[in-house]
Amino acid sequence: MTYSIAGFDIELMIPQCEASRLLPTMEPFRAPVSGDPLCRIQISDSPSLPQPKGELLGDYPSDTGRVLAYRDPAGYLLIVSYPDGTEVAVVANPAFTSALVALSFSAPLAGEILAAAIRLVFTQAITPYQAFAIHASCTVADGRAYLFCGVSGAGKSTHSSMWLRAIPGAWLLNDDCVIVRLDEDGTPRAYGSPWSGKTPCYRAASAPVAAMVRVDKAPANSYESLSDIAAFGAVLPGVSAMRAEGDYFAHVCDTLAAALNCIQVGIIHCQATPEAAKLCFAALSQKSKVKSQEWKLPSADGSADGSIGDRPGATVPRASGASPNGASKSLITHNSKLITTILLK
């Protein structure tokens, strides 16, 4: 079965009856076969998982439990453990264009666990194609997308819901995992996905991005505009990226930087009120920000000698086996550890 998410085709090899039962949120994204998909995922009903092998990349806490990541010359093995003891394994080639997901179909919450595993593969496979996934709530108003990011509990979903109440015609695109992809002209566009957290919002729709805003709970409402490294640092923590893998991280950073050159970025210090939404929308509507020059990050020696993110190249409407656009390894590639230390502390 083939699905199209943000114009990227993926093929899931799973019996249709099990797909309908376990993956209902994928249904709005069903698509006819159109050439080779970006990635193929074999899904196996298996109570026994592959044994860890290769180099341990990391032991990461997640919003669902714990992730152990291993790498060897053949690719990656990711084992995700959940608080109830359920485990799922993802075995992928180095490009995440081919993967095996193994779990027990009879496990509690098997559908949610399987959906999360598919998301893990998909979000890595798209990174060389000027696209990334971001943990955010996305509202569309006046035909443009506004992404609200922040730490868990910051009030992203609540602020989005205030927009739906306060801004005429506003609607929710996604409430958890938004895919951002650069159009052919370099315009960042937000896409809905099959992953929307606790809010059932699975729209195969998109809109050009107007702004990315970090939500901060505060006793009074105010909007703070950000630019340059402050803007990058405000948004990067919410972006899905294998930070231990330099090439993946470089692709994500380059695409994010190119996107931020075209949109507004800020922080909304706010209460959970419609007035906060009105203030934020008014501040963002005052002008459309298009930077004439790309901003820079400091190099290891402290000088600003390199651009973050090259001018975007062309992308295709649906990436059915398309090759990466050759996103350059800019300053980020050489200083990913430095930038991670600066921005992700």
Side-chain angles (χ1 to χ4, degrees), residues 16 23 32 41 64 79-80 98 173 176 198 214 285 303 322:
Q16 184 171 351
L23 299 169
I41 305 174
T64 53
I79 298 178
V80 186
S98 178
L173 177 64
D176 184 73
K198 297 178 182 179
R214 192 168 181 87
S285 300
S303 63

Side-chain angles (χ1 to χ4, degrees), residues 309-323:
D310 295 1
R311 295 298 180 190
T315 57
V316 293
R318 290 177 64 187
S320 303
S323 60

Side-chain angles (χ1 to χ4, degrees), residues 268-342:
I268 179 68
H269 307 282
C270 62
Q271 300 173 313
T273 63
E275 288 69 30
K278 292 177 182 178
L279 170 67
C280 187
F281 183 61
L284 294 170
S285 300
Q286 288 180 355
K287 64 178 181 177
S288 175
K289 185 190 87 169
V290 178
K291 291 192 174 183
S292 59
Q293 294 183 343
E294 294 183 345
W295 47 270
K296 302 172 186 290
L297 283 179
S299 64
D301 63 5
S303 63
D305 61 356
S307 171
I308 243 191
D310 295 1
R311 295 298 180 190
T315 57
V316 293
R318 290 177 64 187
S320 303
S323 60
N325 58 24
S328 69
K329 298 177 182 178
S330 67
L331 179 68
I332 290 287
T333 305
H334 305 292
N335 291 317
S336 60
K337 289 185 179 180
L338 168 67
I339 295 164
T340 303
T341 301
I342 294 172

Side-chain angles (χ1 to χ4, degrees), residues 26-75:
M26 298 287 291
E27 284 302 309
F29 301 87
R30 284 282 294 273
V33 176
S34 176
D36 291 333
L38 174 67
C39 62
R40 287 188 171 92
I41 305 174
Q42 174 73 50
I43 299 168
S44 173
D45 181 4
S46 174
S48 60
L49 303 185
Q51 292 299 309
K53 61 179 181 178
E55 174 192 2
L56 177 64
L57 288 177
D59 182 349
Y60 310 106
S62 72
D63 55 356
T64 53
R66 176 188 180 195
V67 180
L68 289 172
Y70 299 87
R71 177 184 57 197
D72 66 17

Side-chain angles (χ1 to χ4, degrees), residues 88-138:
V88 58
V90 177
V91 182
N93 68 352
F96 283 87
T97 55
S98 178
L100 167 70
V101 174
L103 79 163
S104 172
F105 287 179
S106 62
L109 302 178
E112 293 182 22
I113 294 170
L114 177 56
I118 294 169
R119 177 179 65 182
L120 190 155
V121 175
F122 175 80
T123 56
Q124 301 310 316
I126 66 176
T127 56
Y129 298 88
Q130 294 191 314
F132 58 83
I134 181 170
H135 178 48
S137 183
C138 180

